[in-house]
Each structure stands twice: as structure tokens, then as C-alpha cells.
Amino acid sequence: MAETPLSPAEFEQALRDKGAYYHIYHPYHVAMYEGRATREQIQGWVANRFYYQVNIPLKDAAILANCPDRDVRREWVQRIIDHDGAPGEEGGIEAWLRLGEAVGLAREQMLSQELVLPGVRFAVDAYVNFARRANWQEAASSSLTEMFAPQAHKSRLDSWPKHYPWIEASGYDYFRQRLGQARRDVQHGLRITLEHYRSVESQQRMLEILQFKLDILWSMLDAMSMAYELKRPPYHTVTNERVWHKGLTP
């Protein structure tokens, strides 16, 4: 471990270097960008990623609940509005539902979460539970995988229309919206992170927290690879039915 803390510029670079492990490099994503994904694989990704989308506002609400800083809350609450929408305005969750319809999924099927794989559910739930238990700065900083998100959204906008003409164009609105929103969110998240983590120990912990979030995103794709690429969904040696649990209320 280093004996002296990183400067703000060095610490930011160390955080950005974690982008080498972003899920954009997972073989499942690479196949989608290169036009090698099947309709089932794209539908499976959209349906499972929807579980992540609907939990983002819960994660952000947990951060707000733990944050005593009014100025931070005023800025952070915009993330919930971005996903849930405001009265008379569509949010990211609705845009993702339209993406699901654009790839051939029924809205009711998405909302039922019947296609959500256990591995995806466990990974997303771990993220939300972390945000509830951690101090607000750590939970806020865990969102910094958004530093790498604009590249992913742009890659989809550049490659999917060319490779998958069967996807309705209206489905891409979510990716377009998030290009600007993610960049704005990164500025806020980085400001919190660079101000809070000033010791060697805290900076190392923050890098581990960011790796935890990267692990979550990568693990989600591992579960999808098993189900939709290798044809080994849960209980495949026992049944072809989707017998896994669909979510338990507390």
C-alpha cells in the first residue's frame, strides 16, 4: 500500500483506470456490439437489465435517506426523477419499457420480472443493500461506474441500428437520454469522491468499492451468458421451465 495519499488528479486517474474492467468488455456485450447476438440474447439482456433499472431509484433513495447534507440531497434527487419521471414527463424506466417493446418483449412480461435470472437478481439486490448499509459517501461513490457509461450508450447507438434493423428506432431513446444525464451525474459523484477520500486507507477502500460495483455488472452478464449463450439457465438439467423465484417481499 502506498505511504502517502494520491493527489486529487492521481486519485481520479486511478478511478478512471478501473474502466478496464467495465462490462462493455464482457464477451456478451462485445457480441451485441459486433452484431453477433441473437434476438433471444438481446431480449434476455433487455429483460434482465430492466431489473437493474427499476432498482436504481431505490438505491438513490437509500443514499438520500442516509445523507444529512441538504445541498447534496437537492442535487442527488434528480437521479430519481431521471428514472421515475416527473408528473407529465417520461423517465428512464418508461423509456426502458419502450426498449423492451422495441425488441419484441411485452410490457407485462417486463413488469412481471419473470425473465429475471437469479444471478442477476442477487447481484442487483447486493448493490441496493450496499447502498442502504454503507455511509452515504461510499454509496454515492459506488455510482461512479457512470464514468464509463457514455461509451457504452454511444456504442449501442452506433452499432445496434446497423446490426439489428428489426429493433424499432423508438427503443433507443433511453440511450440518448443517458448520454447527457450520465455525464452530469459523474461530475457530481466525482466531486463528492475527491472531497471525501483523502487518506491512503480511504482511497484504497474507494477503489475496492468501485471494483465491487464492476463485479456486480460483470456478474449480471455472466448469468446471462450461461442462460442465453451456453443454454444453461438455472435448473437446465432438471426442467425447461423457469422455476426460479420471482422475488420475495420482505
Side-chain angles (χ1 to χ4, degrees):
M1 181 179 293
E3 296 182 358
T4 58
L6 299 173
S7 69
E10 290 171 333
F11 185 37
E12 179 176 343
Q13 187 57 55
L15 294 168
R16 292 188 180 278
D17 287 346
K18 284 289 187 179
Y21 308 108
Y22 193 49
H23 63 171
I24 193 173
Y25 301 112
H26 192 286
Y28 199 98
H29 262 314
V30 173
M32 289 195 292
Y33 300 141
E34 293 182 349
R36 295 183 285 107
T38 66
R39 184 182 297 253
E40 180 193 27
Q41 288 163 4
I42 289 179
Q43 289 178 338
W45 179 77
V46 171
N48 278 272
R49 181 78 181 190
F50 181 67
Y51 187 67
Y52 180 87
Q53 303 303 325
V54 298
N55 274 279
I56 291 299
L58 302 184
K59 177 267 297 183
D60 289 323
I63 293 171
L64 289 176
N66 291 330
C67 178
D69 189 316
R70 182 175 61 170
D71 290 335
V72 171
R73 293 197 306 268
R74 283 172 168 170
E75 196 164 353
W76 201 272
V77 73
Q78 183 61 47
R79 297 172 183 243
I80 296 177
I81 297 171
D82 287 344
H83 279 79
D84 283 343
E89 296 180 7
E90 180 182 283
I93 291 175
E94 179 62 28
W96 198 274
L97 284 167
R98 288 197 286 106
L99 172 62
E101 292 173 327
V103 302
L105 295 169
R107 175 177 291 250
E108 294 74 18
Q109 190 176 34
M110 297 271 289
L111 291 170
S112 73
Q113 300 178 3
E114 65 184 72
L115 297 178
V116 178
L117 298 162
V120 170
R121 190 179 295 275
F122 294 149
V124 174
D125 289 352
Y127 183 36
V128 176
N129 288 332
F130 171 79
R132 288 170 174 159
R133 297 194 308 268
N135 65 55
W136 72 266
Q137 293 98 332
E138 290 187 347
S141 297
S142 70
S143 298
L144 278 180
T145 49
E146 290 170 330
M147 290 188 295
F148 323 121
Q151 178 186 0
H153 298 320
K154 189 174 186 306
S155 294
R156 294 174 194 128
L157 290 169
D158 289 344
S159 65
W160 281 29
K162 176 176 62 177
H163 295 308
Y164 311 110
W166 52 271
I167 298 178
E168 296 179 13
S170 60
Y172 297 121
D173 288 346
Y174 176 87
F175 305 134
R176 296 189 185 96
Q177 292 171 7
R178 286 303 298 167
L179 280 172
Q181 291 172 353
R183 294 189 179 102
R184 178 207 64 209
D185 292 346
V186 166
Q187 292 177 354
H188 187 208
L190 263 179
R191 189 164 69 248
I192 292 170
T193 300
L194 296 179
E195 290 175 357
H196 180 68
Y197 301 93
R198 295 181 178 273
S199 69
V200 172
E201 294 76 14
S202 66
Q203 288 178 347
Q204 288 299 315
R205 177 165 173 78
M206 178 52 222
L207 290 170
E208 188 69 10
I209 289 170
L210 187 55
Q211 187 61 56
F212 162 72
K213 175 64 181 305
L214 291 164
D215 292 348
I216 285 169
L217 298 173
W218 197 275
S219 296
M220 290 169 62
L221 290 172
D222 283 346
M224 290 182 238
S225 290
M226 288 292 293
Y228 307 121
E229 289 186 315
L230 300 181
K231 305 299 181 183
R232 292 184 177 183
Y235 310 106
H236 69 279
T237 58
V238 179
T239 179
N240 291 325
E241 300 295 323
R242 297 191 291 268
V243 298
W244 54 83
H245 77 286
K246 307 301 188 294
L248 304 173
T249 55

